[in-house]
């Protein structure tokens, strides 16, 4: 808990932000002003009015009225100062929330592919949402509830000590200590219930997001009821935990009320007894009641504040854990940018496995000359797509190295490496935005003319311009409003706009029908010219035009050569070709 709070402190006093620091100072001054007016102005004005009335001197009516007005003015001043404080401080809280949210979001994108494949997106976004919200809340409560309560307690104790004696000071301190100890004990118990409730809430939301994102699969298997029942079980578990948490709150509130009202009754009773002996005035009874009642208000909220801060620490701790998650793939210190002159790619003794002791690539040696188109084929699980991920440096190798124009990709910046490579993936996922936005994503700052030129190069400009909204047509979540061929062409246009010297086509036509595949193959062959191209394919008919075909089997290169050479060799490739041709003829028949 304290480690999280120490990490949180810089957000309370932001460096290199004198304007925000000034706001904090002004807000704290308004806090001080509010408490002084509340304790000395309101309480003393009410005491003076009651004492004057107790004398039964009707001529003092003017004084009594003025004191009553002063009491009301002091209460009004307290409210005004508190709201001015909130207005001044609002910018500080929002800025802290903004900075933390941006830091977390940027770090999440810097994490490795393995992290994102293993974590649920819904759960991650929920952690970030709770964490960023908690920082504004904690800033507010630490500065404007706990600190003012301590100040008010000090002022009240000073008045009690000078006017009523040590017994009232000791009683008040004892009450506060007992109150805080009880609140902390019960709150710690409630925090465990709260953590359980949050875990169930996160799980329910993560399942809901996952289920909705895959709604097509749900419908394919007629599993709507199954998904609804599974979600209902998650929500029921959350509801049960929430009931326990809320019931525990009732016990906390009753215990706090018992402690504070016992102190209030005892304090007023003793002062009333002192009044009967002539030691205190009638106004003193009201005076003690007013001061204790004013003190109890922030103390009552203090229980809620402690719970909120405790929960905020939990939420921020979870978010700081995300921030502290190390990126699996990191740039070397002072790593230079990659400079691509020709685009020669070489895999030298490359070994890699997603898990320890289970290699997917087992010593790959492969050279791709500048401007050459090399196809990578083989059975599922042979490591074809893994080569693309390795080239993008989504993972670091367990052995060997990969070079581009002689530069080891592990020794250059990831940004420059990925800037030199374009990919048309097997599963094209588009942003839930316009067609124009999705094409423009290929190059930041691309203008309308460049976007239209890329669309023409991908042979999709005519389709886009035939739409009522043209390039402003929204594609829906993951691009589901477009057909498979249209999505692939948008992906091709996006890559054309990027204009990379090295191109990867990763099963770019595997999900398309034969006619659409033939149309897109013509487009792909056109954009391959002049680029170093790696074509990853399962259908051998899509790679017969390649300069060289490399056959992977069990993580090794089984054979390589042109389409004709490999057929003549009657090896693995020839066997795959014969099988696929037989399957195609059977389908056509």
């Amino acid at each position: 808990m304290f480690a999280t709070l120490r990490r949180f402190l810089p957000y309370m006093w932001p460096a290199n932000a004198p304007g925000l620091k000034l706001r904090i100072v002004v807000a704290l001054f308004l806090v001080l002003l509010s408490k002084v007016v509340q304790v000395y102005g309101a309480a003393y004005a009410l005491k003076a009015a009651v004492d004057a009335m107790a004398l039964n001197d009707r001529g003092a009516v003017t004084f009594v009225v003025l004191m009553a007005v002063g009491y009301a003015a002091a209460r009004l001043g307290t409210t005004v100062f508190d709201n001015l404080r909130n207005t001044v401080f609002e910018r500080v809280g929002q800025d802290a929330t903004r900075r933390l949210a941006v830091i977390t979001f940027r770090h999440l994108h810097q994490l490795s592919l393995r992290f994102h494949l293993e974590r649920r997106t819904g759960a991650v976004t929920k952690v970030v949402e709770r964490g960023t919200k908690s920082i504004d809340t904690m800033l507010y409560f630490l500065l404007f509830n706990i600190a003012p309560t301590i100040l008010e307690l000090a002022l009240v104790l000073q008045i009690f000590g000078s006017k009523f004696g040590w017994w009232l000071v000791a009683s008040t301190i004892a009450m506060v200590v007992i109150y805080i100890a009880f609140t902390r004990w019960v709150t710690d118990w409630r925090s465990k219930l709260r953590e359980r409730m949050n875990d169930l809430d996160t799980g329910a939301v993560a399942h809901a997001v996952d289920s909705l994102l895959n709604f097509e699969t749900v419908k394919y298997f007629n599993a709507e009821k199954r998904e609804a029942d599974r979600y209902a079980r998650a929500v029921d578990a959350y509801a049960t935990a929430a009931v326990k948490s809320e019931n525990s709150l009732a016990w906390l509130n009753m215990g706090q009320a018992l402690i504070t009202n016992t102190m209030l009754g005892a304090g007023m009773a003793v002062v009333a007894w002192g009044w009967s002996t002539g030691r205190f005035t009638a106004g003193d009874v009201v005076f003690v009641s007013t001061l204790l009642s004013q003190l109890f208000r922030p103390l009552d909220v203090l229980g809620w504040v402690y719970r909120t801060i405790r929960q905020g620490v939990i939420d921020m701790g979870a978010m700081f854990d995300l921030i502290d998650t190390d990126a699996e793939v990191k740039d070397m210190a002072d790593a230079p940018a990659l400079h691509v002159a020709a685009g020669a790619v070489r895999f030298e003794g490359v070994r890699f496995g997603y898990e320890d002791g289970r290699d997917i690539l087992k010593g790959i040696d492969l050279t791709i000359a500048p401007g050459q188109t090399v196809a990578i084929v083989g059975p599922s699980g042979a490591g074809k797509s893994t080569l693309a991920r390795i080239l993008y440096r989504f993972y670091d190798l367990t052995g060997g190295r990969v070079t581009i124009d002689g530069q080891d990709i592990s020794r250059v910046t990831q940004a420059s490496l990925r800037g030199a490579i374009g990919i048309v993936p097997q599963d094209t996922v588009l942003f839930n935005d316009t067609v124009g936005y999705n094409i423009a994503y290929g190059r930041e700052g691309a203008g309308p003319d460049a976007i239209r030129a890329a669309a023409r190069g991908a042979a999709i400009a005519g389709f886009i311009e035939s739409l009522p909204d043209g390039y402003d047509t929204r594609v829906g979540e993951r691009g589901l409003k477009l057909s498979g061929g249209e999505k692939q062409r948008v992906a091709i246009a996006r890559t054309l706009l990027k204009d990379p010297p090295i191109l990867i086509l990763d099963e770019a036509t595997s999900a398309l029908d034969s006619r659409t595949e033939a149309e897109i193959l013509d487009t792909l062959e056109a954009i391959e010219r002049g680029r170093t191209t790696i074509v990853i394919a399962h259908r051998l008919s899509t790679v017969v035009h390649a300069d060289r075909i490399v056959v992977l089997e069990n993580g090794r290169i089984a054979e390589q050569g042109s389409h004709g050479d490999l057929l003549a060799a009657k090896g693995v490739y020839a066997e795959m070709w014969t099988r696929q041709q037989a399957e195609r003829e059977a389908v056509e028949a």
Side-chain angles (χ1 to χ4, degrees), residues 106-219:
R106 183 183 295 120
H107 182 72
L108 285 173
H109 272 296
Q110 290 174 344
L111 292 178
S112 63
L113 183 63
R114 192 191 306 273
F115 171 87
H116 290 284
L117 292 177
E118 292 176 352
R119 295 290 293 267
R120 286 187 171 187
T121 303
V124 172
T125 54
K126 195 70 174 179
V127 168
V128 174
E129 177 188 354
R130 288 188 187 133
T132 52
K133 284 183 177 179
S134 67
I135 189 166
D136 184 32
T137 304
M138 290 184 65
L139 275 171
Y140 179 86
F141 284 140
L142 287 175
L143 290 176
F144 303 137
N145 192 283
I146 293 181
T149 301
I150 294 173
L151 172 62
E152 183 173 359
L153 177 62
L155 295 176
V156 169
L157 292 178
Q158 183 272 325
I159 293 172
F160 283 174
S162 61
K163 189 166 182 62
F164 300 103
W166 65 269
W167 62 270
L168 190 54
V169 173
S171 300
T172 304
I173 293 175
M175 182 274 296
V176 171
V177 170
I178 294 171
Y179 182 94
I180 292 175
F182 172 78
T183 300
R184 180 175 180 181
W185 175 67
V186 177
T187 301
D188 288 343
W189 167 54
R190 293 193 69 241
S191 293
K192 295 177 182 177
L193 298 177
R194 183 79 180 183
E195 286 179 29
R196 169 67 176 165
M197 187 176 70
N198 277 349
D199 289 342
L200 291 171
D201 182 33
T202 299
V205 171
H207 170 68
V209 172
D210 193 32
S211 180
L212 292 174
L213 286 176
N214 293 282
F215 73 92
E216 290 174 280
T217 304
V218 175
K219 290 187 178 296

Side-chain angles (χ1 to χ4, degrees), residues 121-122 208-216 427-434 438 473-483 487:
T121 303
V209 172
D210 193 32
S211 180
L212 292 174
L213 286 176
N214 293 282
F215 73 92
E216 290 174 280
D427 183 18
T428 299
V429 178
L430 304 181
F431 292 98
N432 188 5
D433 210 299
T434 65
N438 278 280
T473 302
R474 301 192 72 86
V475 301
E477 191 165 12
R478 297 186 298 152
L480 291 178
K481 290 184 179 181
L482 302 181
S483 69
K487 286 200 297 183

Side-chain angles (χ1 to χ4, degrees), residues 182-394:
F182 172 78
T183 300
R184 180 175 180 181
W185 175 67
V186 177
T187 301
D188 288 343
W189 167 54
R190 293 193 69 241
S191 293
K192 295 177 182 177
L193 298 177
R194 183 79 180 183
E195 286 179 29
R196 169 67 176 165
M197 187 176 70
N198 277 349
D199 289 342
L200 291 171
D201 182 33
T202 299
V205 171
H207 170 68
V209 172
D210 193 32
S211 180
L212 292 174
L213 286 176
N214 293 282
F215 73 92
E216 290 174 280
T217 304
V218 175
K219 290 187 178 296
Y220 290 152
F221 293 93
N222 195 28
E224 290 90 344
K225 184 178 183 303
R226 190 192 318 166
E227 288 296 312
D229 291 343
R230 185 180 172 195
Y231 181 67
R233 288 194 296 271
V235 174
D236 286 344
Y238 168 77
T240 302
V243 168
K244 291 181 180 179
S245 178
E246 291 304 314
N247 288 345
S248 66
L249 177 60
W251 291 106
L252 175 62
N253 290 337
M254 288 189 290
Q256 290 174 333
L258 175 64
I259 296 170
T260 55
N261 284 286
T262 298
M263 176 61 198
L264 179 62
M268 292 182 65
V270 172
V271 175
W273 178 81
W275 165 79
S276 69
T277 62
R279 184 179 175 187
F280 303 126
T281 66
D284 287 335
V285 179
V286 176
F287 186 58
V288 169
S289 173
T290 302
L291 287 178
L292 285 177
S293 297
Q294 290 178 168
L295 180 62
F296 291 160
R297 278 198 296 271
L299 279 180
D300 285 340
V301 180
L302 188 63
W304 175 62
V305 168
Y306 176 74
R307 294 193 301 273
T308 303
I309 290 178
R310 181 64 183 266
Q311 184 59 43
V313 170
I314 294 171
D315 292 339
M316 281 203 302
M319 187 177 60
F320 284 142
D321 286 342
L322 282 180
I323 295 176
D324 290 339
T325 302
D326 277 337
E328 183 179 343
V329 178
K330 297 180 181 178
D331 288 340
M332 295 177 57
D334 301 320
L338 174 70
H339 295 286
V340 180
V345 178
R346 178 165 174 74
F347 295 83
E348 302 176 8
V350 170
R351 302 184 68 86
F352 173 74
Y354 294 104
E355 300 174 5
D356 291 339
R358 185 182 168 219
D359 282 351
I360 302 297
L361 302 178
K362 305 171 183 177
I364 299 295
D365 285 297
L366 176 63
T367 300
I368 304 172
Q372 189 178 47
T373 295
V374 171
I376 311 293
V377 301
S380 298
K384 302 187 298 296
S385 294
T386 300
L387 280 177
R389 291 176 173 178
I390 291 298
L391 186 57
Y392 258 102
R393 206 185 164 207
F394 287 155

